[in-house]
Amino acid sequence: MLEAATTIDYAADMRWKQVEATMRRNGYQPDALIETLHTVQELFGYIDENALRFITSKLPISPSKALGVVTFYHYFQMKPAGKHTISMCTGTACHIKGGEAILEEICERYNLHPGETTPDGKVSLLTVRCIGACGLAPAAVFDGEVVGNLSVEKVREQFDKWMAEEDDEETE
Ligand code: FES
């Protein structure tokens, strides 16, 4: 059974539009499930009950069936790998405005590749194609919050702040 999902505003996070685009491209057929789950994992780093609710509200698949698929494949994760997540946009506008150079520097500094988590489990680094904030390029999503006009310093500041958190420290 799925736990009660917290209410989230799907319209406020452009990544859900990309998830919906995957389903649309597949004609909202049940066969779209695997590809849609891949899209969610790529964009968010994991698939939680909110994602399953979103998907099963659009595809003719029951939540329990979708959950069965997620738990069957080891590739899919139901929890974020890291306590915090930085998703760097690699879409065209962000690329042109220097997003790739920022990503490279961050990868080098923290010895991470996109998709990986710091050894202490504090921060996961992901990439997304476009988060719909092209006017703010280069942009990223820090724990669900879109941050624009990025610089290496801005990303490092956030990264270092999270890395310095005590394990039991409350997060905002
Ligand atoms: S390309 Fe980065 S937000 Fe659109």
Side-chain angles (χ1 to χ4, degrees), residues 89 91-94 129-134 139:
C89 180
T92 308
C94 290
R129 279 188 302 268
C130 174
I131 50 175
C134 309

Side-chain angles (χ1 to χ4, degrees), residues 14 18 88-96 128-140 146:
M14 297 299 285
Q18 292 185 44
M88 299 281 301
C89 180
T90 56
T92 308
C94 290
H95 178 82
I96 290 169
V128 292
R129 279 188 302 268
C130 174
I131 50 175
C134 309
L136 300 175
V146 173

Side-chain angles (χ1 to χ4, degrees), residues 72-143:
F72 180 78
Y73 291 101
H74 293 307
Y75 168 81
F76 294 128
Q77 295 185 34
M78 291 204 69
K79 286 192 185 139
K83 190 171 171 192
H84 299 285
T85 305
I86 289 186
S87 303
M88 299 281 301
C89 180
T90 56
T92 308
C94 290
H95 178 82
I96 290 169
K97 294 281 194 120
E100 191 173 320
I102 296 173
L103 178 62
E104 274 173 19
E105 279 213 44
I106 294 299
C107 287
E108 196 170 320
R109 178 175 175 87
Y110 297 98
N111 197 23
L112 288 176
H113 292 103
E116 291 181 349
T117 300
T118 52
D120 59 7
K122 288 192 175 152
V123 188
S124 294
L125 179 65
L126 302 173
T127 53
V128 292
R129 279 188 302 268
C130 174
I131 50 175
C134 309
L136 300 175
V141 181
F142 293 176
D143 271 355

Side-chain angles (χ1 to χ4, degrees), residues 4-79:
T6 45
T7 307
I8 66 165
D9 183 359
Y10 293 103
D13 188 335
M14 297 299 285
R15 290 176 293 181
W16 295 110
K17 280 205 182 330
Q18 292 185 44
V19 175
E20 172 120 34
T22 301
M23 294 188 271
R24 193 181 319 117
R25 201 167 51 246
N26 286 279
Y28 293 100
Q29 293 301 305
D31 287 358
L33 179 63
I34 297 280
E35 192 179 333
T36 307
L37 291 173
H38 274 283
T39 303
V40 171
Q41 178 137 320
E42 191 188 320
L43 294 172
F44 295 88
Y46 62 101
I47 300 159
D48 66 2
E49 67 267 23
N50 285 313
L52 290 178
R53 277 177 203 286
F54 184 75
I55 293 168
T56 57
S57 70
K58 313 268 178 183
L59 297 182
I61 290 176
S62 69
S64 58
K65 172 113 190 275
L67 181 63
V69 171
V70 173
T71 51
F72 180 78
Y73 291 101
H74 293 307
Y75 168 81
F76 294 128
Q77 295 185 34
M78 291 204 69
K79 286 192 185 139

